[in-house]
Amino acid sequence: MVLGDKHRFAVEVGEGGQALRPVDLWAAGKWLTCDDNMAFVGQFRRAVLETADRLRSGGGSPLPFGTLSPEATHRRLTLLAGADDGTGGDYAFRSRFRVLAWGPTTDNVTAYLFRVGDRSVLTVQFWRKDHLAEHPEDADAVFVAELPTAEFAGILEDLVGQLDAVLPKTG
């Protein structure tokens, strides 16, 4: 079962065991977990839940560079990553916007989240050379998805529920 809309943000959890389970993610019509869709259930679940909790608690920052588009903002944040002088200032700044940093399953993309009123704007860019060689249409592309923040948080919470279904019950 697909949760969400693949043209905005969606997830699909496959059958699997307690430790590893296939999880497919889409944003802006792009399959994000194309390099590795096997999630380490416990770690992945915690990371997704942290993101959902952050969204529900009002977390997320607005677009930081005035009138720049989400795509241009993504590019500027990525440039800052390359120019980081090691002092941690740029890293701390970028970290306010990083999202989908959920481990090996999502480490093939750079993704940022911006809050615009009651909506979440997600930007995603593939960076692995192997992926870009196989999908030249993704080279230098920044994909942008926008959806209500409550919907985004709900999809993430439903994902956690699906992952909980395979975790051993304790207590």
Side-chain angles (χ1 to χ4, degrees), residues 50-130:
E50 286 175 9
T51 302
D53 289 346
R54 178 176 156 211
L55 292 169
R56 290 281 187 210
S57 67
S61 296
L63 290 160
F65 303 120
T67 59
L68 286 184
S69 70
E71 178 183 354
T73 299
H74 179 105
R75 290 182 189 287
R76 182 172 286 181
L77 289 170
T78 301
L79 283 174
L80 284 175
D84 197 339
D85 63 3
T87 63
D90 286 340
Y91 179 81
F93 178 69
R94 285 190 325 276
S95 294
R96 290 180 23 207
F97 306 100
R98 283 296 311 263
V99 70
L100 306 184
W102 298 338
T105 308
T106 58
D107 69 1
N108 62 316
V109 296
T110 299
Y112 298 113
L113 174 72
F114 311 103
R115 291 289 291 261
V116 180
D118 64 349
R119 302 187 68 75
S120 288
V121 178
L122 180 68
T123 62
V124 179
Q125 185 174 32
F126 293 95
W127 62 267
R128 284 196 178 136
K129 290 178 183 177
D130 289 346

Side-chain angles (χ1 to χ4, degrees), residues 6-47:
K6 290 181 182 181
H7 296 287
R8 293 185 306 172
F9 184 82
V11 300
E12 183 175 21
V13 179
E15 296 295 322
Q18 295 176 350
L20 284 172
R21 196 158 181 199
V23 177
D24 291 300
L25 302 172
W26 291 267
K30 298 301 289 186
W31 180 32
L32 303 182
T33 51
C34 55
D35 288 355
D36 177 8
N37 73 338
M38 293 304 290
F40 295 100
V41 174
Q43 172 273 324
F44 192 81
R45 179 199 177 281
R46 280 188 300 278

